[in-house]
Amino acid sequence: MPSEAEQWWERVFGTAPEPHIVVPLVTVTVALILVFSGGLWRLFRRIVTMVHEAGHALVAVLAGRRLQGIRLHSDTSGVTVSRGRATGTGMVLTTLAGYPAPALLGVLFGALVITDLVVVVLGLSALLTLGVLVMVRNLYGVFTVLAVAAVLGGVAFYAGPEIQASFVYLITWFLLLGSVRPILEMQAKRRRGAARDSDADQLARLTGVPAALWVSVLLVFALGCVALGGYLMLEPAVSAIDAGS
């Protein structure tokens, strides 16, 4: 009989049952609704903001800056404060890291999903949530992170393998597709003169490269991640359909 440690290892790193081929198609449809609706997007956008700010925070630490904290606001915006040189490569990379973070995490999750490591995705999500919780410096932010943690915990401990797989597909699609809309929203605010301190404008001041070009770079990168992640997520379903036809 396997030991508890062996059972834990198998649960986390063993391959999960492959979901039905309709799961990727249904979950991408739901994710599209969440991203391109009005009220639902305002509600779930907070998840993208969490990952965005976590991206700033992680790169700030890796660049040798002193991380002061993260604040998440009720209008779905957020801010990450770090101390260090006001210019230079570290500051550029820290400023740049926010918008690509959800797209990159979505690609990583997609790669894990196609290898059936569903529980690893849940574990990484939990670690990310814990890391943000430790650094959050306002009450609303704490409430938001705890709400996300409660959902993750409920799925991880109480849902069956099929529900877990569907949930992971959904959050992966949501991160991929949800990485695009904030960039479009930023540019729309910039046109109205309402986002003079956006990441793109900060990058323009730091590098001398026009903010509009930074917006284009961020958008192309996000769309590339959507294409790559989408291929990873949909290829098994398309192959199964082709094999059955």
Side-chain angles (χ1 to χ4, degrees), residues 3-245:
S3 65
E4 289 187 10
E6 290 172 333
Q7 290 176 359
W8 178 86
W9 182 269
E10 177 62 26
R11 175 176 171 80
V12 175
F13 294 104
T15 56
E18 187 171 332
H20 193 277
I21 60 173
V22 303
V23 170
L25 303 177
V26 171
T27 51
V28 70
T29 303
V30 175
L32 283 167
I33 292 171
L34 295 178
V35 170
F36 292 104
S37 65
L40 288 174
W41 171 244
R42 285 191 293 274
L43 176 63
F44 289 99
R45 190 189 195 280
R46 292 161 175 79
I47 298 171
V48 176
T49 301
M50 278 180 52
V51 179
H52 177 111
E53 300 306 330
H56 283 311
L58 176 61
V59 174
V61 171
L62 293 176
R65 299 179 61 81
R66 183 176 300 174
L67 186 61
Q68 299 295 299
I70 295 171
R71 299 179 71 86
L72 302 173
H73 304 135
S74 58
D75 64 355
T76 74
S77 66
V79 62
T80 299
V81 179
S82 63
R83 294 194 179 277
R85 289 184 56 194
T87 58
T89 304
M91 188 60 187
V92 171
L93 292 176
T94 299
T95 306
L96 179 61
Y99 283 103
L104 285 172
L105 189 62
V107 170
L108 173 60
F109 282 4
L112 292 171
V113 163
I114 63 168
T115 54
D116 300 323
L117 295 176
V118 168
V119 179
V120 173
V121 174
L122 292 173
L124 285 175
S125 301
L127 286 175
L128 172 65
T129 304
L130 178 61
V132 175
L133 180 62
V134 170
M135 292 309 304
V136 164
R137 294 294 181 265
N138 66 320
L139 185 61
Y140 182 84
V142 170
F143 171 79
T144 300
V145 177
L146 288 177
V148 172
V151 173
L152 286 172
V155 173
F157 289 104
Y158 299 109
E162 294 81 6
I163 298 299
Q164 288 183 348
S166 298
F167 179 79
V168 166
Y169 267 90
L170 178 59
I171 61 175
T172 303
W173 280 122
F174 181 74
L175 288 171
L176 290 168
L177 297 169
S179 69
V180 177
R181 181 164 176 174
I183 301 171
L184 299 176
E185 291 174 341
M186 173 181 64
Q187 181 58 16
K189 289 181 180 178
R190 291 189 65 256
R191 287 200 194 97
R192 300 194 301 268
R196 299 183 185 279
D197 243 356
S198 70
D199 289 3
D201 288 279
Q202 292 182 54
L203 286 166
R205 291 192 288 269
L206 288 166
T207 64
V209 176
L213 182 55
W214 279 114
V215 172
S216 298
V217 169
L218 292 170
L219 184 58
V220 168
F221 182 85
L223 290 173
C225 287
V226 171
L228 175 57
Y231 172 78
L232 292 174
M233 300 277 282
L234 290 175
E235 195 277 334
V238 171
S239 297
I241 291 172
D242 290 340
S245 60

